[in-house]
Amino acid sequence: MNRKEALEAVKECSFGVLSMVNIRSEHPLGVGAPYAIPLNIVLCGEIVYFHCAREGHKLDNLRADPRVILSCTSYEKVISEKLTTVYDTALVFGNAREVTDEKERRIAIDELVRKYAPAELGRMDDIMEKSGHIMGIWAIDIVDVSGKRRQMPGSQEAQSV
């Protein structure tokens, strides 16, 4: 995929898996091991946003080393009779940062609600008042993105992907 198509796969995925470096010794593989966690994400331009708690293992990792890889799958279908899978996937390489600017936080929260709970957009002021202050918002500033697509030539899946 080209960059534009890879970013489209990021935009369309229902969740991404964020990978980072672990800093906690109690991790089964120890300090320096991979640590990955699924997240609800939203792409805004060339920034990926996600929401989370304000503290925890993931955030300790990100504060110690902000380099991340985000894996996204926007489409997949197993074609059992062909012993294959067709898919659109993307990898985002970037640096994570906590969003502290209130204007940027509001944009990120609005976009997350628009993607995952569009029926609640009319309640944004209430949502912000009740939980905006306890919600952590993080951004991944994209350094690079790559994508891969597997289609079955001449198949209906190739035309629908």
Side-chain angles (χ1 to χ4, degrees), residues 42-109:
V42 66
L43 178 69
C44 297
E46 297 245 345
I47 300 173
V48 175
Y49 291 103
F50 63 92
H51 68 93
C52 56
R54 293 241 184 203
E55 298 299 325
H57 190 163
K58 167 181 64 219
L59 302 185
D60 292 344
N61 291 342
L62 294 175
R63 289 180 178 125
D65 188 341
R67 297 172 301 159
V68 298
I69 297 174
L70 179 70
S71 176
C72 301
T73 301
S74 63
Y75 176 82
E76 65 83 24
K77 182 174 180 181
V78 174
I79 311 297
S80 57
E81 65 275 11
K82 298 284 187 179
L83 302 174
T84 194
T85 302
V86 293
Y87 55 83
D88 280 4
T89 64
L91 289 177
V92 170
F93 303 85
N95 294 297
R97 63 180 166 82
E98 187 169 11
V99 178
T100 56
D101 176 77
E102 284 306 314
K103 184 178 177 183
E104 186 180 14
R105 282 176 54 79
R106 178 63 186 245
I107 289 168
I109 293 167

Side-chain angles (χ1 to χ4, degrees), residues 1-13 41-48 72 74 89-93 115 140 142-149:
M1 291 182 174
N2 63 38
R3 184 179 182 86
K4 182 179 177 184
E5 292 169 325
L7 287 170
E8 189 64 25
V10 173
K11 182 179 178 181
E12 296 300 320
C13 76
I41 61 153
V42 66
L43 178 69
C44 297
E46 297 245 345
I47 300 173
V48 175
C72 301
S74 63
T89 64
L91 289 177
V92 170
F93 303 85
K115 181 174 180 179
I140 301 169
I142 297 174
V143 173
D144 198 10
V145 61
S146 66
K148 187 173 181 182
R149 173 176 288 140

Side-chain angles (χ1 to χ4, degrees), residues 89-161:
T89 64
L91 289 177
V92 170
F93 303 85
N95 294 297
R97 63 180 166 82
E98 187 169 11
V99 178
T100 56
D101 176 77
E102 284 306 314
K103 184 178 177 183
E104 186 180 14
R105 282 176 54 79
R106 178 63 186 245
I107 289 168
I109 293 167
D110 282 353
E111 291 303 315
L112 284 160
V113 170
R114 186 177 315 283
K115 181 174 180 179
Y116 294 101
E120 303 304 315
L121 280 170
R123 293 186 336 109
M124 283 305 297
D125 289 337
D126 186 47
I127 290 168
M128 291 301 293
E129 184 178 321
K130 288 183 178 175
S131 53
H133 64 286
I134 61 171
M135 187 185 316
I137 298 294
W138 281 68
I140 301 169
D141 296 312
I142 297 174
V143 173
D144 198 10
V145 61
S146 66
K148 187 173 181 182
R149 173 176 288 140
R150 168 87 165 114
Q151 296 178 340
M152 296 297 296
S155 71
Q156 190 172 3
E157 287 79 14
Q159 288 133 25
S160 67
V161 174

